Amino acid sequence: MVSILIISHSEKIALGTKELAEQMKQAELDIKAVGGTSDGSLGTDTEEIEAALQQIDKSEGVIVLADLGSAVMSFEMIYESLEPDIQAKIKLANAPLVEGAILATVESSLGKNMTEILATIEKKSIIEKNNL
Amino acid sequence: MTNKLKNAFLKTADVLVENKDYLTELDSAIGDGDHGINMARGFTKLAEKLSNNSYNSNSELFKTVAMTLISSVGGASGPLYGTAFLNISKVITDQKAELDNLIAIGEEAVAGVQKRGRAEAGEKTMLDTLIPAVDSLKESHQQGLDMQTALVNCQAAAKLGMKNTIEMQATKGRASYLGERSIGHQDPGATSSYLIIKTFIDQFA
């Protein structure tokens, strides 16, 4: 299964998004969530992102969902420090955090690969709210 | 020289801690109100680290500065300043800096911030302080001015650049969410960049 890494400025958003996503999974997969700074404030902690990327199951790839500026920049800094073969396994999605994480979880747990999942969650229609 | 630069970073930490409330106030107007807190946290951590260690080269010093800020600032300014200082660590030598070396260092810092933030001049960011500061050094070099005059001019250009952000509309970062309402406020990132440049130049001019 493709793994999912959720990065938010807020630990509550990160953990809440993970909780929502896990509710939808059809099979076991590795979902990790990091958020907030080491002293518990809003922000991002590069060391926590680095640790999560080290520990997460990378065998089938990792899709990263991030919310705002520093979550994206902190991820990019860590990403650039990784070996090219590891980099190739990890992709930051151009997708909204909550919707992206939930849909990626569903797709991954149905056995879709990285490319297929990214194609689904990077579609503009993922943010439409009037198609319920 | 490495010791003098280390002391300049320690002095910068003092200045940013002194300006914590001011930076936070600027950031509360157009952002998420944590710039002062983040910069003070990062530079306090940095001051602890630098005080307890000695460095054999300028490059090693700047690399430590970069890595410490990246891991401890907590906001976007961590990766932004971190990338700038990391870029500087790749070009700085232990030779006495001439104006052209300083220009090269400034250009590397600007390139780092631009790459990380995907921003250009005029978007109400720290680049609006940094780019005029480097441009001023280039002008001084072309005019054949001496180092001291160039540093004084550079400080003035950085200050003017910071002040010019008041009239700009933010198109990058959290302030861009405010659209036109971001006009009329000085950018907190441009302000912390000015404080860093000012403190460094005060130590050397």
Side-chain angles (χ1 to χ4, degrees):
Chain A
M1 304 289 166
V2 173
S3 303
I4 319 277
L5 174 62
I6 297 158
I7 308 173
S8 171
H9 275 65
S10 155
E11 189 179 11
K12 287 181 189 167
I13 290 179
L15 294 177
T17 304
K18 179 174 188 275
E19 195 182 357
L20 276 169
E22 283 185 329
Q23 207 180 28
M24 296 290 291
K25 69 183 178 190
Q26 306 297 310
E28 281 309 312
L29 70 144
D30 195 358
I31 306 175
K32 295 215 182 320
V34 296
T37 60
S38 53
D39 63 2
S41 346
L42 295 171
T44 41
D45 179 351
T46 44
E47 283 172 10
E48 202 189 359
I49 296 171
E50 191 174 17
L53 276 174
Q54 263 167 18
Q55 289 157 14
I56 203 163
D57 177 3
K58 291 179 275 293
S59 52
E60 303 287 319
V62 180
I63 290 177
V64 180
L65 279 312
D67 57 6
L68 301 162
S70 82
V72 176
M73 288 184 211
S74 297
F75 163 74
E76 282 177 349
M77 292 231 65
I78 299 300
Y79 179 82
E80 286 166 15
S81 69
L82 301 171
E83 297 297 323
D85 57 323
I86 306 283
Q87 283 184 345
K89 297 252 180 202
I90 300 169
K91 183 89 171 64
L92 175 68
N94 267 323
L97 187 81
V98 176
E99 290 87 342
I102 294 172
L103 205 47
T105 299
V106 172
E107 297 258 308
S108 171
S109 66
L110 291 171
K112 302 280 179 68
N113 65 29
M114 284 273 278
T115 314
E116 291 168 325
I117 300 172
L118 284 168
T120 304
I121 69 173
E122 289 185 341
K123 272 197 289 234
K124 279 265 183 270
S125 60
I126 190 174
I127 59 168
E128 283 174 11
K129 304 297 174 190
N130 294 326
N131 58 355
L132 306 172
Chain B
M1 188 55 170
T2 303
N3 248 330
K4 203 168 174 194
L5 281 168
K6 174 173 148 175
N7 287 333
F9 276 114
L10 293 175
K11 181 72 193 149
T12 303
D14 290 341
V15 169
L16 289 170
V17 170
E18 281 161 27
N19 283 279
K20 179 177 164 178
D21 291 344
Y22 172 54
L23 290 173
T24 290
E25 191 187 309
L26 292 175
D27 196 27
S28 299
I30 56 169
D32 49 1
D34 62 4
H35 190 56
I37 298 164
N38 288 343
M39 293 300 282
R41 174 173 47 220
F43 274 82
T44 302
K45 220 19 175 289
L46 178 65
E48 281 169 25
K49 179 118 188 171
L50 296 186
S51 301
N52 295 326
N53 290 286
S54 59
Y55 301 92
N56 294 322
S57 69
N58 291 336
S59 173
E60 193 191 339
L61 172 71
F62 273 82
K63 193 167 180 200
T64 304
V65 170
M67 299 322 282
T68 309
L69 294 180
I70 289 163
S71 64
S72 60
V73 168
S77 39
L80 290 166
Y81 282 123
T83 307
F85 289 125
L86 199 60
N87 273 13
I88 292 175
S89 79
K90 291 172 191 161
V91 292
I92 197 167
T93 67
D94 294 323
Q95 309 291 323
K96 183 179 181 331
E98 301 297 339
L99 208 42
D100 54 346
N101 307 123
L102 213 53
I103 291 167
I105 286 169
E107 284 179 331
E108 275 301 317
V110 166
V113 174
Q114 278 190 312
K115 175 197 160 205
R116 185 66 58 212
R118 300 187 188 97
E120 299 294 331
E123 296 195 284
K124 203 181 180 94
T125 71
M126 46 180 81
L127 285 171
D128 294 308
T129 296
L130 300 176
I131 292 174
V134 177
D135 285 348
S136 163
L137 291 176
K138 287 186 199 163
E139 243 170 71
S140 295
H141 189 50
Q142 277 164 8
Q143 293 169 7
L145 300 180
D146 63 272
M147 180 64 107
Q148 291 303 312
T149 314
L151 289 178
V152 170
N153 290 351
C154 173
Q155 198 177 56
K159 186 171 190 175
L160 183 63
M162 168 186 80
K163 293 275 178 202
N164 284 341
T165 63
I166 296 174
E167 294 310 315
M168 291 176 185
Q169 178 174 337
T171 50
K172 278 284 162 3
R174 209 72 78 87
S176 66
Y177 294 173
L178 291 175
E180 286 179 2
R181 279 175 297 155
S182 65
I183 298 171
H185 300 277
Q186 186 172 304
D187 181 64
T191 309
S192 62
S193 290
Y194 168 67
L195 291 172
I196 294 170
I197 289 174
K198 178 185 187 306
T199 311
F200 263 79
I201 290 180
D202 283 345
Q203 302 299 302
F204 290 92

